[in-house]
Structure formats: C-alpha cells, structure tokens
Amino acid sequence: MSFLARILLASLLLAVTAPLHADGTGRILIVVSGEGRDQGKTRPGYEFDELSQAWLIFKANGFAVDVASPQGGAVEADKYNAQEPFNAALLADEDAMRMLADTRKTADVAATDYAAIYVVGGKGAMFDLPRDQALRTLLADAYDHGAVIGAVCHGPAALADVRLRDGTPLVQGKATTGFTNEEEALFGKRWAKEFPWLLEDKLHGHGAHWQEAPLMMSKVVVDGRLVTGQNPYSTPGVADAIVRATGRTPVARTPWRDELTMGLAAQARDGHVQQVAHALATDTARYHIDLLGLLGYYQAQAATGDDDVRHALQLMQLAMPYMAAPQLKLGAAEAHLRLGERDQAKVLVQRVLAATPDMAEAKALLQRIDG
C-alpha cells in the first residue's frame, strides 16, 4: 500500500470512529417550551430558575450555549423571582437575553453541533415539547451520535416518545426521574387536568426504571449519557452531572441559597437535626428558611405514614423560630395531631389564636383537637 493510500485509509477510519458530535464538544443546546403566556397566568411556560442555574453552570465550565424552542422566536417564562442571584446574573447577560428573545427553532438545529442537550422544565413542557417531531428527531439523533441528554422537572416530557435509530424508546430500560405524580397532585392542580398524560406514568409505560426522592427533594439520576432531575431543586445537580457526562470535571462553585437549604433538609431527614439547627442559628441569612418551612408543610400534606409525618414536622420545627406565618404553626399542629400528640398540637394552635383571635382555620383545628 502506498504512503498516500495509507494516509487516505487512516483519514477514513478516523471519520468512521470519531464521535459524530466532535465539532460540538464545546456547545450545549438548551431547549425551552414556547407555550408560555402572561407569566404563566393564561398559559404555562418554562421555569426561569431551571434555565438560569444550568446556563450559568454550563458557561462556568467553558461551554457555549444556544437556546431552541419548538416554534423559535421569543419565549416566556412563568413568574419567577428576578432578585435571586442566579436569575439576576442571567438577566444582566445581554447575549443571553438576545437569545431568549429570538430562540432557534428546533427544526433548524443540527444534532451534531452539540455535546449535550438540556431540556428545561415548567408545565409548558408538557404541551409543546412532546408534540414537536423535530425535537424528538433532534434528541434521538444527538443521543445516537454520542451526545449527553439531560432534562429536569417536566422537561423529561420531551424524552417520552423519543425513539432511537433501532426503534427502541430512549428511556426504555434506563433509570430516570422527573416531576412525580405525588408532586403533581399537590402543585399541578390548575394545568395537570389538561396534560396529555402524567410524566411518571408515561415514562413507566415506555419501560423506564423510575426513581424518586421524597416530595420536592433534590434528585438527580444518571444512566450513562441520560441525566434527569426530579424537580426545580434538582437543577444544579443535573447541570453538574451533564458537564461530568461530557467528560469534564465541573469547576468548583459556591452553592446557591436554595441548594444549601435543600442540603439541610436532606441532613435533617438523615437524622442530623441538631446539626441543621446549629447551622441555621449560626448563619441564618445563608439559607432560604421559608423554603425549609414550606417543604415541611407540603411534605406533611403528602405524608402517608408516621415516619414521613415526623420528618415533615422536623422541618417545620426547624423553620418555626424564623418564620412568623401562622399557617406554619397550624401545619405543625396538624402533624402533631396525626401522630396522636394532642397537647403539642393544642399549644401551637393556642399561640396562633393569641396572635390572630379570629382565624377561622385555627378555631376549627382547636375544635378537632378538643373533640
């Protein structure tokens, strides 16, 4: 074989064996729903928190970011807190804002341009993303060509009907997570009745191995090049896992307040309640204590057994010294009552009535306790 022939053969072998997304190793595509209207009031859109946190992590790790939606053009997020540091940082990024004002159409995006595709959640993702044939093709082609596929919260709805080159569902036989039926029952009441299906049920139906954490706790599931997160609080973990799955080591960063708070919730659930109380007392401003209290309040509503009620009650008790909301005390009183602890329940309700004597909810609960 001549020298020229050997060179040509080597080039051909390299073209066949090299990852087909090689040109996209430095780019990540973020996909968002374009369904949103009026900050989610008349039509649900995407979650800005799930966009901003991931975007900042991708950029910090050296990736260029593009944004696409089914129809392209401007997209609208549901109502969010613009003062949160991660949101404020993205809002101050003029390039990012230009992209969100004119997103690429999924039909115009090439799968081989990206090392990873990340699908943002929000209830709008349950409507336009599963209907988008171009997005299904894009995700399948990207995965078949070696890219990482990630999604958080309702974002995995975009993966549900994706079929790979051999015809098998993308999620079949893979460990996954997403917004759970339990979470939907508490937080999806307005729009869930219009969903084509519930996300957990749909992924189960396509052979996914579903995993979940307790209500609204962070949960990231990695199965090879498929990364999914359960809810908004899973976003930073999903973004870090996507970076890691592309072969890079995520850069060190300071966790955001919500991350730290959810970490405390996990510690409390693992039995380290005194350590959590000490952390809150030592540096209260470092944590989002209202989030801790609300997490306990809603976990109590969803609890089906005494252990879950106790875990929820612990979170409410940890937050109570810093939260004046009477509903938190009533939620804790309800938890005590469920555990048969009538005296503790009565003390909390009496405190509420001392501050708000005409509160009907507190009066009704006191009657139940005394009944």
Side-chain angles (χ1 to χ4, degrees), residues 98-117:
R98 277 194 291 269
M99 285 190 210
L100 290 171
D102 189 18
T103 63
R104 301 184 65 184
K105 191 174 181 179
T106 51
D108 298 333
V109 175
T112 52
D113 287 345
Y114 300 99
I117 298 177

Side-chain angles (χ1 to χ4, degrees), residues 194-212:
E194 296 184 30
F195 289 169
W197 24 258
L198 292 178
L199 180 58
E200 180 180 341
D201 295 344
K202 183 71 167 180
L203 295 189
H204 267 304
H206 280 310
H209 299 314
W210 183 266
Q211 299 180 12
E212 63 182 73

Side-chain angles (χ1 to χ4, degrees), residues 153-171:
C153 196
H154 289 94
L159 316 180
D161 289 320
V162 173
R163 290 186 177 271
L164 303 177
R165 187 180 299 146
D166 62 4
T168 60
L170 169 63
V171 299

